[in-house]
Amino acid sequence: MDFTPTEEQAAARDLAARIFGDLSTHERLTAAGAGSDAELWKALCEAGLPAAVEDIGLLGLVLLLEEQGRTTAQVPFAASCVYGLLAVSAHGSAEQRERLLPAIGDGTVVVTGALPEAAVRVGGSGELSGVVPVVPWLRDATHVLVADEEHGLWLVRTVDARCDPVELTAPWSAGRLTLDATPGEPLGGSLGERQGGPEAAAAGQEAYDDVLATARTAFAGLQAGVCAGSVARAVDYTNTREQFGRPLATKQGVQLRAADAYMDTEAIRVTAYEAAWRRDEGLDYATHALTAAWWASEAGHRVVHAGQHLHGGMGADLDHPVHRHFLWGRQLDAYLGCGSEVLQELGVLIVDGEGDA
């Protein structure tokens, strides 16, 4: 395996780093509050970064999300690329790809996902009913990808549904999604094909599993960036903050805590890279995605706590930039399944003999 970025992936990553670095400043993030930064999203789309994901693959997206995580930039970049561009590209019909992919790429269509919830009921004519209590970036989205009770995937226009604002730990413009006989569009086929028996059900389950694994891999990459940003802030602070005439960074306890956080961050990064690389290469990656998700949850929790603790009293200041990394890290450590949940899923896969080769 080779995780070395291609020329296209490296160029996209460097461009993303420059845009996020220039526009995702502490002052702008503070002004945005719990909402998204429309100007930043516009800049990313005009630079062609969401559209580029179709060419640079999941590994390329992970690289871009690392840069977003470093600055905790408040845009629906991960959601729209995972639940929109990659999901439609891999599992949409030819008509859906032709209609939706250009609009997702230029940002006029924003997709989020109500996964892994599968509480939506499907009526005989394809109308959807059910409630998903929390959907990240729902307030920014034009479409939401939902899963029915059989794990079939449907695209729903947010204008056809009820979307009520919900505040999360992290500022993810979340909402509560209520569907009441709401029209939905089956991802990848017509309603007749969706209700076409065991083969159609198996195809729907395969698409659901792939989208969920893709999401877990991508958000692990986002967590790697959040943790890297937290560690960088801690290193900068402990090298400049003096105690008894010496920088805090000269103390062995501080060095060990920072070193542990660094190694945890690298573990999140490399497992996300491996899962993404395997998907791009067409290899089985189910257990690798779960492994990346476990590291993102368990190690991510440790890293953002360490980053805050290494700031001492400043870490308790809710307005300090490091606190934003803490909030994002804690939100990500439970999103799409906390560590114990994904570990149980991983164990089931291994016991059932369905683990990756």
Side-chain angles (χ1 to χ4, degrees), residues 233-320:
R233 290 189 182 280
V235 168
D236 181 68
Y237 179 79
T238 56
N239 272 292
T240 55
R241 177 75 165 87
E242 292 190 357
Q243 189 178 65
F244 305 117
R246 298 175 59 194
L248 288 173
T250 62
K251 299 182 181 297
Q252 188 177 47
V254 171
Q255 294 172 1
L256 293 174
R257 191 79 189 277
D260 286 342
Y262 173 80
M263 292 306 297
D264 272 338
T265 301
E266 289 300 297
I268 301 170
R269 175 182 288 115
V270 73
T271 52
Y273 282 7
E274 182 174 12
W277 176 83
R278 289 183 67 89
R279 183 188 187 275
D280 290 343
E281 293 296 313
L283 303 172
D284 291 335
Y285 74 110
T287 56
H288 295 78
L290 286 168
T291 301
W294 183 84
W295 275 104
S297 177
E298 296 291 315
H301 178 105
R302 292 193 296 266
V303 172
V304 296
H305 273 265
Q308 192 171 36
H309 291 167
L310 288 172
H311 279 75
M314 293 299 294
D317 183 356
L318 301 186
D319 295 325
H320 195 283

Side-chain angles (χ1 to χ4, degrees), residues 152-175:
L153 296 176
W154 301 75
L155 281 168
V156 176
R157 297 194 311 162
T158 53
V159 294
D160 296 329
R162 177 176 174 180
C163 304
D164 299 309
V166 172
E167 296 303 327
L168 301 181
T169 302
W172 285 4
S173 295

Side-chain angles (χ1 to χ4, degrees), residues 50 53-54 61 76-92 96-97 100-101 103-105 109-113 143-145 155 187 211 214-215 279:
V53 172
E54 192 174 359
L61 176 59
F77 191 76
S80 201
C81 288
V82 168
Y83 301 119
L85 193 140
L86 291 178
V88 173
S89 178
H91 305 289
Q96 287 172 331
R97 293 195 296 271
L100 293 173
L101 290 181
I104 296 171
V109 167
V110 177
V111 185
T112 189
H143 294 71
V144 56
L145 187 68
L155 281 168
L187 182 66
V211 172
T214 299
R279 183 188 187 275

